[in-house]
Amino acid sequence: RNEGSLQGLVVSFNRTLAAFASQEGNLRTTLRELPPTLAIADTTFDSLNRAFPPTRAFAREVLPGVRLSAATIDASFPFVTQVRRLVSEPELRGLVQDLRPATSDLASLVQATTGLLPQVNAVNECVIGNVLPTIKTTLQDGDLTTGVPIYKELSQGLVPAAGESQNLDGNGQYVRFGVQGGANQISTGTSNFGGKQLFANVNLRPLGTRPIYPGKKPPYRPDVRCASQKAPDLSSAAGPPSETVIARSTSATIGGAAARRAPATPTTATPRTPSTDNSPPATTGKGAR
């Protein structure tokens, strides 16, 4: 009854079979791989079936949090607004811009500090290894030995220095001196004041000279680390009064401007335990004892 439709069906079916026939190799491969694929699919579907119950339970439990997320997001908007203002140009962004020069200078300072720290360490080694042991020693000076470390003797010497200007009048503070002369005249060698010989009158005859001038300055080695150098020896040798210590001349006047002439034969005093005076001997122009 429907020959036309049957004819169309036969023609279409023929085309379909021709299409399958043109892909015969792929169809054979598909049919060959289909059994293992179906086996894997069965295993996958079983795993999905086992995963669905906990997934459904998780979905039920997460629903309250999801319902509250909108309110949480709304509550976070003011915070986000404040954070945006904080990182804006007038706030942190501007601060970072202002700190850039300081950061650059700080980097230069850190780089320079790497060269400074070894020098500071060298100073510390010098203080710990040389200075502190020296000022903590006690000078042995016979009857004049105090028995206290050097740094305490130095601090004790500040007491009279602090009270030297306690006197005052309407013009302000002033220093009071007590000057006197004696029957014993001493002199120096060539002094630092115009190369002239200096004289003084004292009450007591000199006992000795400490330290004895070694005849040359100690070596100065700034190119050698202080910590590797020998600590100074403050217990230097003592000696009798310098030969320039003379008896008082009859032509000398105390405080006079006239030149004083020493006698031809100087006198020497009997040596005894030297004092703690660390000035060089009289022949060096530094004073005598």
Side-chain angles (χ1 to χ4, degrees), residues 20 53 61 69 99 124 126 133 138 204 253 266:
F20 277 105
E61 296 296 335
S69 61
L99 289 178
N124 292 337
C126 180
T138 301
L204 302 177
T253 56

Side-chain angles (χ1 to χ4, degrees), residues 246-267:
I246 60 177
R248 182 172 181 179
S249 173
T250 56
S251 63
T253 56
I254 300 177
R260 296 169 180 157
R261 179 168 51 86
T265 305
T267 61

Side-chain angles (χ1 to χ4, degrees), residues 134-154:
T134 300
I135 65 176
K136 288 182 178 180
T137 57
T138 301
L139 289 178
Q140 302 300 323
D141 200 16
D143 295 338
L144 300 178
T145 301
T146 62
V148 299
I150 295 175
Y151 73 91
K152 290 187 178 181
E153 287 198 63
L154 293 175

Side-chain angles (χ1 to χ4, degrees), residues 90-242:
E91 299 293 340
L92 288 182
R93 192 185 305 173
L95 177 62
V96 172
Q97 191 72 20
D98 295 338
L99 289 178
R100 282 184 178 178
T103 304
S104 177
D105 295 340
L106 181 60
S108 302
L109 175 61
V110 171
Q111 184 176 3
T113 304
T114 58
L116 173 64
L117 292 180
Q119 300 298 324
V120 174
N121 185 53
V123 173
N124 292 337
E125 291 178 351
C126 180
V127 171
I128 295 174
N130 287 35
V131 177
L132 291 181
T134 300
I135 65 176
K136 288 182 178 180
T137 57
T138 301
L139 289 178
Q140 302 300 323
D141 200 16
D143 295 338
L144 300 178
T145 301
T146 62
V148 299
I150 295 175
Y151 73 91
K152 290 187 178 181
E153 287 198 63
L154 293 175
S155 61
Q156 291 169 358
L158 297 177
V159 176
E164 53 86 19
S165 59
Q166 290 183 346
N167 300 294
L168 57 89
D169 58 13
N171 296 320
Q173 293 180 330
Y174 65 90
V175 180
R176 182 173 58 185
F177 294 93
V179 182
Q180 62 181 358
N184 299 282
Q185 187 179 63
I186 60 174
S187 67
T188 66
T190 302
S191 69
N192 296 328
F193 300 96
K196 297 180 180 181
Q197 190 177 17
L198 302 180
F199 295 85
N201 294 282
V202 296
N203 290 331
L204 302 177
R205 295 180 63 85
L207 303 179
T209 299
R210 177 188 289 272
I212 297 177
Y213 183 57
K216 62 179 180 179
K217 293 183 178 180
Y220 176 62
R221 295 292 308 276
D223 57 325
V224 180
R225 291 177 62 89
C226 171
S228 64
Q229 299 188 37
K230 184 179 179 181
D233 182 15
L234 301 182
S235 299
S236 56
S242 171

